């Protein structure tokens, strides 16, 4: 059995998570979650499952869509954690997608969280994550302890999200951002990928983050330095 660390701190640590969880029954649940709810690769869901479950501080999420990532993290909390809270912010609306389309994103999000038992762990805020009322509401729930894991899967303006919430993360906190890279039939649009990659590359060059790897269909996983 590989030496799996509760709190991976380097790329080698993270790289062990995927083959490890692929060997466990829970991976089949994450594959099913991908098929039914999530546009994230099952490997990424496994990483969120692990990081969320071992997070010792609250979790902040922007862009849960219809709940796949939130559910994966709540599964980890249920398995490993101490009822840690997830604050998840969703703008809402509709999305035309060949597998996971939604006519009412917030309605589908709330329903899926209830169906998968994730609503016990997640506080859903509906609105623009950068509007002051949402920022204040999120900070009010998160409190003064800060954030141990920040997952972003929104519109590519990662710099704007970090401007508003980055101070909640101290050294060693995990930052996970989707759409750093995209390809294939369901590729994310360039106007989302390009600014995401630019922001993360700049932060890494400045020594503010450490990239621990790119997983699945282009999800960036890293640490705050």
């Amino acid at each position: 059995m590989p030496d799996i660390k509760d709190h991976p701190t380097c790329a080698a640590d993270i790289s062990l998570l995927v083959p490890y969880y692929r060997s466990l029954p829970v991976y089949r649940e994450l594959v099913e979650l991908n098929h039914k709810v999530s546009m994230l690769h099952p490997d990424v869901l496994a990483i969120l499952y692990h990081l969320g479950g071992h997070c010792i501080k609250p979790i902040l999420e922007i862009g849960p869509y219809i709940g796949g990532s939130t559910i994966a993290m709540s599964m980890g909390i249920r398995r490993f954690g101490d009822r840690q809270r997830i604050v998840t912010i969703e703008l809402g609306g509709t999305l035309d997608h060949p597998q996971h389309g939604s006519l009412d994103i917030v309605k589908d999000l709330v329903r899926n969280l209830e169906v998968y038992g994730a609503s016990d762990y997640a506080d859903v805020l509906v609105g623009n994550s950068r509007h002051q009322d949402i920022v204040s509401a999120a900070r009010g729930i998160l409190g003064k302890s800060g954030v141990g894991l920040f997952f972003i899967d929104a519109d590519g303006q990662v710099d704007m999200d970090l401007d508003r919430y980055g101070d909640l993360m101290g050294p060693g906190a995990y930052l996970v951002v989707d759409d750093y890279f995209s390809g294939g039939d369901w590729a994310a649009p360039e106007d989302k990928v390009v600014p995401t990659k630019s922001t993360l590359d700049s932060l890494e060059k400045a020594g503010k983050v450490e990239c621990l790897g790119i997983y699945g269909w282009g999800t960036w996983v890293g640490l705050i330095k």
Side-chain angles (χ1 to χ4, degrees):
M1 179 179 295
D3 180 19
I4 300 299
K5 295 184 179 180
D6 291 351
H7 304 284
T9 58
C10 65
D13 292 343
I14 288 284
S15 71
L16 289 175
L17 293 181
V18 169
Y20 173 70
Y21 281 109
R22 281 181 177 178
S23 71
L24 300 181
V26 69
Y27 193 80
R28 291 194 292 272
E29 297 180 48
L30 297 172
V31 169
E32 182 180 358
L33 184 63
N34 162 255
H35 289 163
K36 291 184 175 181
V37 177
S38 180
M39 289 187 280
L40 295 171
H41 193 285
D43 290 350
V44 174
L45 294 175
I47 291 171
L48 291 174
Y49 169 88
H50 182 89
L51 297 181
H54 291 93
C55 199
I56 60 175
K57 292 184 177 182
I59 297 164
L60 177 60
E61 175 181 39
I62 295 177
Y65 185 47
I66 57 173
S69 51
T70 321
I71 293 164
M73 291 185 289
S74 73
M75 289 169 59
I77 294 171
R78 189 182 306 121
R79 171 64 179 85
F80 301 108
D82 187 24
R83 298 191 63 82
Q84 193 57 270
R85 300 302 300 175
I86 304 169
V87 175
T88 185
I89 305 172
E90 175 55 52
L91 181 61
T94 65
L95 180 68
D96 182 17
H97 186 273
Q99 185 177 1
H100 297 307
S102 174
L103 296 176
D104 188 330
I105 292 171
V106 171
K107 180 179 178 180
D108 290 340
L109 167 63
V110 172
R111 183 190 65 238
N112 288 332
L113 296 184
E114 291 175 351
V115 167
Y116 284 87
S119 55
D120 291 340
Y121 304 92
D123 295 291
V124 178
L125 299 179
V126 179
N128 189 313
S129 62
R130 296 158 202 151
H131 286 181
Q132 188 53 51
D133 58 337
I134 297 296
V135 175
S136 297
R139 286 177 172 274
I141 297 171
L142 293 167
K144 297 180 179 180
S145 60
V147 170
L149 169 61
F150 190 6
F151 176 61
I152 304 174
D153 186 8
D155 58 2
Q157 303 302 316
V158 178
D159 56 337
M160 298 176 68
D161 294 320
L162 292 175
D163 282 346
R164 286 157 177 79
Y165 302 99
D167 64 295
L168 295 173
M169 295 183 293
Y174 294 100
L175 177 63
V176 181
V177 185
D178 195 32
D179 299 314
Y180 175 86
F181 165 84
S182 185
D185 294 337
W186 296 346
E190 285 294 300
D191 61 358
K192 184 177 181 181
V193 173
V194 170
T196 296
K197 186 176 188 304
S198 176
T199 295
L200 293 172
D201 287 352
S202 295
L203 290 172
E204 186 173 9
K205 184 176 181 180
K208 296 181 178 180
V209 300
E210 178 183 354
C211 179
L212 301 182
I214 315 298
Y215 288 88
W217 296 307
T219 302
W220 187 96
V221 180
L223 274 175
I224 301 297
K225 298 294 286 181

